Amino acid sequence: MQSGLSEGYQMPPRIRGLSGKLLWLTIAFVMLAEILIFAPSIATMRLRWLEDRLNTAAAAAVVIDGLQPLELPRHVQDDTLASTGTQAIVLRKEGTSRLLAVAEIPSEVDAAFDLADYSGLQSVRDAFYTLFFGGDRMLRVYGPVADSDMIIEIVMQEYGLRKAMLGYSRNILVISLAISVITGLLLFLAINRTMVVPVRRLARSMQAFAENPQDPAGILPASEGRDEVAVAGRHLARMQDQLQKTLRQQKTLADLGLAVSKINHDMRNILASAQLMSDRLVDVEDPLVKSFAPKLLRTIDRAVGYTNEVLAYGQTAEAAPRRRRFPLVDVCREVRELLHLTPDSRIEFIELVAADVEIDADSEQMFRIVHNICRNAMQALSTFVPEDPDHPRRITVSAQRTGSVVSITIDDTGPGMPRKARENLFLAFRGSARSGGTGLGLAIARELVIAHGGTIALVEKPGAGTMFRVEIPDRPVALDDFRARA
């Protein structure tokens, strides 16, 4: 899988990577913005160009009008028309129109524009028409002369206007390209430094970690920044560190499992020999031996069963419960005897389990559940030094049946569960409440309880100590079996 990851991911070249895409997108978006700005800009340029021609013609018309009723000589008219770039100039005054200068009266006018009443949308539309399709039309343009009631009117070829608009558009294009490239490069350099380089660093770290996840040098050094990339880097570093710890733990567990399996294999043979020798103790007539022999035999039989289950666990998991109904008090008494709580330990073991409380469970697995929790409680009480010397050291096991569920409560008066143990409750090698512990007891108890379809939970209590509650439901009875028994 690691080799597949390293082969599947290659660092992209800059021009095709995130930096290159950012550069091209910036240029494209700036050009798009320039195009949107160009439409009103070219329309304004066209309108100003026409207004300049109209104002120049108006200035000449006022001078010529002052010479009335004289008619201008031909060469003066030609000079006036050439200076204004028009074909004819007409002045409307007091309801009359006077042709001030004309080169040649056009037979037809293609378009007329009143600059005094010219909307923005119409100006944009006419500008683009002139730019793409104009140049050969004869235009008639008119408007007021300053604040007077005179109207100046000119007739002109569209060619000069289109030529000026093409030059303006060319300049706008060059400026827009320059702005786009400069803006794109500046954004490229800024974002490449603040975003792309850190992202590339994250990618390299993930690639190196995928190739060798057990190398501590592959963990990404944490960044102190506050932006999203820095936060992602810190999360990645924590994830890599946690994954390395998990891999080391898994390797340790695998090695430990192999070692336990080897030791357990030899231990099973030793226990088998001890079992054969202990069987002979039954025939000894000594009363003391006869009182201890059954307990010794049960203990050795249970140890042999444990070794077999450990070997089976290394291959699959815990054996399925072999359930039957039995008094729960028997399990509690066996647990108390096996804990060997002597008066010197100053730990009191109290059973609050009625003799008629029966449980539908695997007796051996039920013994392991209760024993593991009580043994943890005994170990905690043994090392507990309370502030009050009269503080009781007590383990209380109680049980009751409610319908088809048996609830077992195991309560102690010890120091309680540390915060770290609560956070890793029921996790092997991490949920231990004492130094040097493995946390396997609670992990095994939880697995056995779940196999019975039950629940186990740490119960909050007002006083000091730790309380666990185990709930084991009875097996559901098939309707046909119930009818058969009835």
Side-chain angles (χ1 to χ4, degrees), residues 325 357-360 399-407 472 474:
R325 295 182 71 90
V357 175
E358 292 188 342
I359 187 170
D360 182 12
Q400 61 180 358
R401 171 176 283 276
T402 304
S404 61
V405 178
V406 174
S407 176
I472 304 295
D474 295 343

Side-chain angles (χ1 to χ4, degrees), residues 136 138 200 206 220 350 377:
D136 299 329
M138 185 67 67
R200 189 177 291 120
M206 288 187 285
L220 179 71
I350 299 178

Side-chain angles (χ1 to χ4, degrees), residues 415-427 430-435 442 458 460 465-466 468:
M417 296 283 287
R419 182 178 62 85
K420 183 178 180 181
R422 288 173 177 267
E423 293 175 354
N424 301 286
L425 198 63
F426 305 120
L427 295 180
R430 295 176 61 185
S432 176
R434 60 186 177 86
S435 177
L442 288 178
L458 177 66
E460 297 292 339
T466 304
F468 282 95

Side-chain angles (χ1 to χ4, degrees), residues 263-485:
I263 295 172
N264 196 72
H265 181 271
D266 295 334
M267 184 65 69
R268 184 180 59 176
N269 296 333
I270 296 173
L271 289 174
S273 300
Q275 188 178 28
L276 292 175
M277 290 185 289
S278 62
D279 288 341
R280 300 179 183 178
L281 294 177
V282 180
D283 301 329
V284 177
E285 298 299 330
D286 189 302
L288 184 61
V289 173
K290 282 185 174 293
S291 63
F292 281 107
K295 297 179 181 178
L296 178 62
L297 288 175
R298 285 199 303 272
T299 303
I300 294 178
D301 289 340
R302 185 172 286 121
V304 172
Y306 285 174
T307 57
N308 291 330
E309 290 177 1
V310 169
L311 288 177
Y313 181 82
Q315 298 172 357
T316 55
E318 291 284 353
R322 295 182 291 272
R323 305 180 70 157
R324 63 181 182 86
R325 295 182 71 90
F326 62 91
L328 183 60
V329 68
D330 295 343
V331 170
C332 297
R333 290 171 181 170
E334 287 189 61
V335 170
R336 182 186 59 188
E337 293 174 358
L338 192 61
L339 291 178
H340 300 294
L341 294 177
T342 62
D344 295 337
S345 64
R346 295 180 298 173
I347 299 176
E348 186 180 3
F349 189 91
I350 299 178
E351 303 170 17
L352 299 179
V353 182
D356 60 345
V357 175
E358 292 188 342
I359 187 170
D360 182 12
D362 186 310
S363 58
E364 286 299 322
Q365 293 187 1
M366 203 65 231
F367 171 83
R368 292 171 63 188
I369 294 170
V370 178
H371 178 260
N372 284 344
I373 300 175
C374 290
R375 183 181 58 192
N376 287 350
M378 184 189 70
Q379 292 172 346
L381 287 168
S382 300
T383 58
F384 179 45
V385 181
E387 297 180 358
D388 183 6
D390 296 330
H391 182 80
R393 297 171 181 265
R394 183 184 304 121
I395 301 174
T396 304
V397 180
S398 58
Q400 61 180 358
R401 171 176 283 276
T402 304
S404 61
V405 178
V406 174
S407 176
I408 306 168
T409 302
I410 302 173
D411 187 12
D412 67 65
T413 58
M417 296 283 287
R419 182 178 62 85
K420 183 178 180 181
R422 288 173 177 267
E423 293 175 354
N424 301 286
L425 198 63
F426 305 120
L427 295 180
F429 300 98
R430 295 176 61 185
S432 176
R434 60 186 177 86
S435 177
T438 62
L440 281 171
L442 288 178
I444 293 173
R446 178 178 180 273
E447 184 177 354
L448 296 176
V449 169
I450 292 177
H452 282 78
T455 60
I456 179 172
L458 177 66
V459 181
E460 297 292 339
K461 53 182 292 189
T466 304
M467 179 187 294
F468 282 95
R469 178 172 292 122
V470 178
E471 296 177 339
I472 304 295
D474 295 343
R475 286 171 294 176
V477 178
L479 187 59
D480 292 340
D481 295 342
F482 173 78
R483 291 172 177 172
R485 289 198 299 267

Side-chain angles (χ1 to χ4, degrees), residues 59-77:
V62 171
V63 174
I64 296 171
D65 184 59
L67 299 177
Q68 62 179 345
L70 299 176
E71 183 178 349
L72 292 179
R74 181 72 263 169
H75 68 277
V76 176
Q77 293 188 30

Side-chain angles (χ1 to χ4, degrees), residues 82-99:
S83 63
T84 58
T86 59
Q87 299 290 321
I89 301 176
V90 178
L91 181 65
R92 298 179 186 175
K93 180 180 178 183
E94 298 177 353
T96 62
S97 299
R98 180 184 177 190
L99 183 61

